[in-house]
Amino acid sequence: MCYHVFVAFWKEPLQASREVLIDISQEAMMTGQIEFAMSSAFNSCRMSFFCSQDLVKGEINCTSLAKRMAQLRQVQNSLSLASHHHMLLTLLNAQDITKPFVMLEAADIQTEDDLLLFCTRTEKFGVVHAIHSNRLILAYFLKRYDEAAQMADLYHSRKMMRFLDVFVVLFEGLTSLQLARRKNGDEQKWIRKAEQAISSFKTWGSHSNWNCENKLLLLQAELHSVRGQIDDAEEKYKVSILSARKHRFIHEEGMAFELLGNFYKEHERHEDAKVQLIAARDCYKQWGAAVLANLVKPDYDTQDDV
């Protein structure tokens, strides 16, 4: 399992590691390695999210896995899973997002805030680490950029880098570029953070073009946009979209469409913006992220229910 959590990202498509982790979990269960099996299953669930697995299917898998963890008394893994499950339910726009915490059957954990408090108090820092990363990603998606930046600051990477850290850098970089647009006098601070993210992805991309190319291109597009480099920004957005589609990251394709649409709106190219934002909404709907699809509002489009 360690190879596919810590190493394989740099050598193989993320989708391949997800499938291997499922097999590892099943084999470990057959040989009685319960904790190893549950850890592999959890990492497969989390990896599936970043591979753009349909969120409805992902939620079903989370529910099933949470029940198995409860039966097998796998407390540590179940706590991390609860936060991940909560993120999926939020993106699905589910009516009851407390379900993961109810399934823990712990009287003092009814919300994610309760979970964070409990894990901080009991020094379960791996779970705290996971909660901060989930909150960063969710806050960015929901356009709560100040919160996203705060979660990025709270996130502390482990000594050995894992695939999750790559996505934290991506969302921190994109958040920084949103905050740079506010022009509050601290633009250079946020631009430096974005430049650090771009530098990291250039290095990582030399090892895994499949997993990193579209992310690097999107960060570069956003930086060009912030700097007013219109032609360069437009080109990078377009190739980021193509790369995300080629490498089967549908939610990142949606992100790139949305950012290109916003770019066109900023430059008063409203018809072009509408085309891109409709495409973004379609990607989010295909992924299952109803809450994100509802947030995308193409100009001249009066449809509220998606």
Side-chain angles (χ1 to χ4, degrees):
M1 180 189 73
C2 290
Y3 170 80
H4 291 281
V5 174
F6 293 104
V7 179
F9 184 91
W10 312 113
K11 296 178 177 292
E12 303 170 10
L14 192 61
Q15 293 88 342
S17 290
R18 177 192 64 181
E19 297 301 323
V20 172
L21 283 170
I22 294 172
D23 293 339
I24 289 173
S25 176
Q26 293 171 345
E27 291 173 6
M29 282 295 293
M30 292 175 63
T31 57
Q33 301 176 72
I34 304 302
E35 185 172 353
F36 187 72
M38 292 298 97
S39 182
S40 297
F42 166 64
N43 278 293
S44 174
C45 273
R46 184 155 60 179
M47 206 170 281
S48 294
F49 173 82
F50 293 112
C51 290
S52 296
Q53 180 192 53
D54 177 82
L55 292 179
V56 174
K57 183 177 180 180
E59 194 282 323
I60 292 170
N61 290 341
C62 280
T63 299
S64 175
L65 182 56
K67 290 177 180 177
R68 277 192 290 158
M69 286 182 175
Q71 293 169 350
L72 297 169
R73 301 180 184 278
Q74 293 294 301
V75 176
Q76 182 82 10
N77 284 315
S78 68
L79 297 175
S80 295
L81 178 65
S83 176
H84 176 76
H85 194 178
H86 173 262
M87 178 172 63
L88 265 63
L89 287 167
T90 302
L91 290 170
L92 283 164
N93 206 20
Q95 291 185 339
D96 182 12
I97 61 173
T98 65
K99 172 182 173 181
F101 311 112
V102 173
M103 294 182 71
L104 291 174
E105 298 182 349
D108 56 343
I109 302 177
Q110 299 299 314
T111 67
E112 191 176 55
D113 286 338
D114 294 338
L115 176 62
L116 180 58
L117 181 63
F118 171 79
C119 293
T120 302
R121 187 175 65 246
T122 57
E123 299 186 352
K124 298 184 186 300
F125 297 121
V127 183
V128 172
H129 176 95
I131 292 170
H132 288 153
S133 65
N134 292 337
R135 286 185 166 187
L136 161 61
I137 293 165
L138 195 56
Y140 175 82
F141 274 134
L142 299 179
K143 310 184 191 315
R144 302 195 299 247
Y145 302 119
D146 290 313
E147 179 186 343
Q150 181 184 16
M151 290 302 108
D153 286 341
L154 289 171
Y155 180 90
H156 296 289
S157 180
R158 303 178 185 191
K159 290 182 180 180
M160 183 179 291
M161 190 170 182
R162 54 172 47 196
F163 77 90
L164 177 62
D165 296 344
V166 172
F167 294 93
V168 168
V169 171
L170 170 65
F171 284 96
E172 182 178 16
L174 292 173
T175 295
S176 296
L177 288 162
Q178 290 294 337
L179 293 174
R181 287 181 166 89
R182 293 182 178 177
K183 302 188 183 303
N184 291 333
D186 55 359
E187 298 97 312
Q188 290 307 311
K189 165 191 168 182
W190 298 114
I191 287 173
R192 282 194 298 271
K193 284 181 176 287
E195 287 173 336
Q196 290 170 0
I198 288 170
S199 177
S200 294
F201 271 99
K202 284 181 177 178
T203 300
W204 298 337
S206 66
H207 300 288
S208 178
N209 187 64
W210 181 284
N211 293 327
C212 296
E213 181 185 67
N214 71 293
K215 301 167 182 61
L216 171 61
L217 291 167
L218 187 57
L219 285 164
Q220 290 174 325
E222 282 283 85
L223 182 58
H224 285 311
S225 177
V226 167
R227 287 175 167 166
Q229 298 163 339
I230 296 174
D231 292 340
D232 290 336
E234 183 176 14
E235 177 62 22
K236 292 289 186 181
Y237 284 126
K238 289 180 176 179
V239 291
S240 177
I241 290 166
L242 294 175
S243 177
R245 184 180 302 154
K246 176 182 177 181
H247 299 128
R248 306 200 303 275
F249 297 115
I250 185 88
H251 67 294
E252 292 173 1
E253 182 183 348
M255 290 163 62
F257 271 126
E258 183 176 6
L259 291 171
L260 177 55
N262 291 340
F263 169 80
Y264 283 147
K265 285 173 67 176
E266 181 183 355
H267 294 283
E268 299 185 355
R269 294 171 58 178
H270 296 293
E271 289 298 333
D272 289 333
K274 180 178 179 180
V275 171
Q276 304 306 315
L277 293 173
I278 289 173
R281 192 169 62 181
D282 288 345
C283 286
Y284 291 145
K285 288 169 69 175
Q286 187 175 337
W287 188 33
V291 73
L292 302 188
N294 281 323
L295 285 174
V296 176
K297 299 293 184 182
D299 287 349
Y300 319 120
D301 188 345
T302 59
Q303 181 178 350
D304 291 324
D305 297 321
V306 297

